[in-house]
Amino acid sequence: MINFQYTRANDVADAVRQISADSTAKFIAGGTNLLDLMKEDVEQPSRLIDISRLPLTKVEETASGGLLIGALVPNSDLAWHPLIAQRYPMLGSAILAGASAQLRNMASTGGNLLQRTRCFYFYDTVTPCNKREPGSGCSAIKGVNRINAILGTSEACIATHPSDMCVALAVLEAKVHVAGPAGERIIAFADFHRLPGDTPQRDTNLNANEIVTALELPAQGFTKNYTYLKIRDRLSYAFALVSVAVGLEMDGNTIRQARFALGGVAHKPWRDTTAEAALNGQAANQDIFMRAAELLLRDAKGYEHNAFKIDLARRTIVRALTQAAQGTPQSQSNKKIA
Ligand SMILES: Cc1cc2nc3c(=O)[nH]c(=O)nc-3n(C[C@H](O)[C@H](O)[C@H](O)COP(=O)(O)OP(=O)(O)OC[C@H]3O[C@@H](n4cnc5c(N)ncnc54)[C@H](O)[C@@H]3O)c2cc1C
Ligand code: SF4
């Protein structure tokens, strides 16, 4: 274990001041990802700035009919919050599909966005990894890449973003509120996470001296026709091989508006407006769902151990769209146990 200093932030301005003063410092919220990374020697912050006591724990209604969710609302509290259950059930289902009850009790909203990839080599400090050590190479491309990405990859990195919650947030078109030395700004969810390109060490467009303060959800919550479908190696306590979040506005059997996003397949939640447009105005049926899946996966590229994900993603998209169009209830969010 490395030596590090520990301080607490008194308020958001103090948190920004402290992180701006030390480029090797890191915020700690629930600690469920960061502490593991420190134990494995992947992250070596000189200082931990504890933000867990900041007053960012409210879920409030906005004037435009949406919600503002504080960055420190625990994942469990958010999933079971009455306003989430009533207005954004897809988000609740996605959160409850992740991790375990104990982890969700500790994990924060902001931390979930900023959790790092689960690529095996990222955690294995004796192997080259461009994300951990820029310029060292990517061990996954020719290595064991079963859990890695099939979309939006680069020659530098084929990692995936592991969050379930973020896949639903992509469909809901959430906004990320952040604060930094220059004041506050809002980042559209689609612009928050990055593709690896030739800078895979940067997961997001959050600057190193900024803090996430809140998430804003627009009013549209897709309360009737939605689904979050996660395919994984075990039924719980496992990251997605492929997941699909769907929100549909239906008029009888006709799709008025479709949104869907994939998790487990790319460096960020993967949405494709061309594939969504192919569904709008169409009757809901297997043929049109298959066409949308083919469109979304048109540039998918498999590696030695993960090519199966392309067909898995195709079938998962069709099943998720079918469930959502039929208004199939989500058992996950109706159970109070993990
Ligand atoms: C065994 C295990 C299984 C898991 N399974 C799943 C799963 O299936 N699906 C899933 O989605 N997740 C899963 N997770 C991940 C879990 O959801 C994340 O670890 C958690 O959401 C991170 O939140 P945290 O508050 O603990 O973050 P921390 O560990 O405290 O921080 C994570 C990162 O975010 C930064 N950070 C935290 N808050 C802020 C902020 N407000 N502003 C700026 N930076 C910030 C920290 O500096 C750090 O870099 C799993 C985790 C474990 C350990
Ligand atoms: S895929 Fe990315 S995280 Fe994994 S070894 Fe390659 S560079 Fe590292």
Side-chain angles (χ1 to χ4, degrees):
M1 195 75 193
I2 52 151
N3 287 324
F4 60 88
Q5 292 184 316
Y6 170 88
T7 55
R8 272 186 202 155
N10 298 321
D11 52 31
V12 169
D14 184 37
V16 170
R17 241 187 332 267
Q18 288 197 42
I19 200 101
S20 302
D22 184 350
S23 62
T24 57
K26 282 252 159 196
F27 291 133
I28 183 162
T32 60
N33 188 212
L34 183 55
L35 291 179
D36 279 354
L37 290 164
M38 288 173 67
K39 286 183 209 161
E40 299 289 339
D41 231 10
V42 178
E43 301 262 20
Q44 297 154 338
S46 60
R47 173 194 296 255
L48 288 184
I49 304 166
D50 187 346
I51 56 170
S52 64
R53 289 168 177 80
L54 296 184
L56 303 172
T57 53
K58 289 197 186 121
V59 177
E60 296 165 297
E61 300 191 58
T62 62
S64 55
L67 290 184
L68 194 66
I69 300 161
L72 289 165
V73 175
N75 286 183
S76 301
D77 292 14
L78 186 59
W80 297 114
H81 196 286
L83 291 173
I84 296 295
Q86 283 158 22
R87 297 200 207 158
Y88 305 94
M90 178 216 305
L91 179 58
S93 295
I95 295 171
L96 293 174
S100 64
Q102 292 85 348
L103 283 160
R104 294 192 297 266
N105 288 343
M106 286 302 294
S108 66
T109 300
N112 193 306
L113 264 55
L114 290 151
Q115 63 177 294
R116 306 215 67 192
T117 185
R118 293 281 157 174
C119 175
F120 304 138
Y121 301 100
F122 179 65
Y123 279 78
D124 181 359
T125 52
V126 299
T127 58
C129 168
N130 286 324
K131 187 180 278 298
R132 181 171 24 79
E133 198 183 330
S136 62
C138 172
S139 299
I141 289 177
K142 291 203 169 144
V144 179
N145 44 40
R146 183 169 185 276
I147 66 167
N148 290 77
I150 53 171
L151 285 161
T153 55
S154 73
E155 286 179 10
C157 180
I158 59 169
T160 60
H161 191 261
S163 168
D164 291 293
M165 184 177 93
C166 290
V167 187
L169 292 173
V171 169
L172 294 170
E173 296 189 346
K175 293 173 189 165
V176 187
H177 289 230
V178 314
E184 296 177 6
R185 66 182 179 119
I186 295 176
I187 308 173
F189 204 76
D191 299 329
F192 187 74
H193 295 100
R194 294 161 61 97
L195 289 180
D198 54 9
T199 52
Q201 67 275 18
R202 285 201 68 186
D203 294 342
T204 70
N205 285 316
L206 186 75
N207 294 322
N209 55 11
E210 289 180 314
I211 183 171
V212 173
T213 55
L215 267 184
E216 184 181 341
L217 301 183
Q220 191 177 21
F222 300 100
T223 50
K224 283 200 184 130
N225 295 96
Y226 71 90
T227 206
Y228 185 72
L229 181 58
K230 177 176 179 181
I231 308 296
R232 47 188 154 173
D233 284 327
R234 289 185 305 268
L235 255 186
S236 77
Y237 204 45
F239 291 91
L241 287 168
V242 171
S243 69
V244 182
V246 181
L248 302 176
E249 297 291 352
M250 302 290 294
D251 192 354
N253 191 45
T254 302
I255 301 167
R256 253 192 312 115
Q257 187 193 7
R259 286 196 209 150
F260 66 107
L262 267 64
V265 297
H267 204 253
K268 61 190 286 187
W270 193 265
R271 256 187 87 188
D272 184 326
T273 48
T274 308
E276 291 175 359
L279 293 170
N280 295 339
Q282 303 292 323
N285 61 50
Q286 297 284 300
D287 290 345
I288 195 73
F289 295 158
M290 184 63 89
R291 171 151 170 68
E294 296 291 352
L295 272 171
L296 182 135
L297 293 164
R298 63 193 178 282
D299 295 324
K301 175 181 167 193
Y303 295 82
E304 186 178 353
H305 305 106
N306 76 350
F308 75 96
K309 276 194 181 186
I310 300 176
D311 194 40
L312 183 63
R314 185 180 296 116
R315 286 184 279 119
T316 311
I317 292 169
V318 173
R319 193 166 128 203
L321 287 167
T322 306
Q323 284 181 359
Q326 292 172 348
T328 308
Q330 291 254 288
S331 57
Q332 192 96 32
S333 58
N334 297 333
K335 283 194 282 180
K336 266 264 172 193
I337 50 171

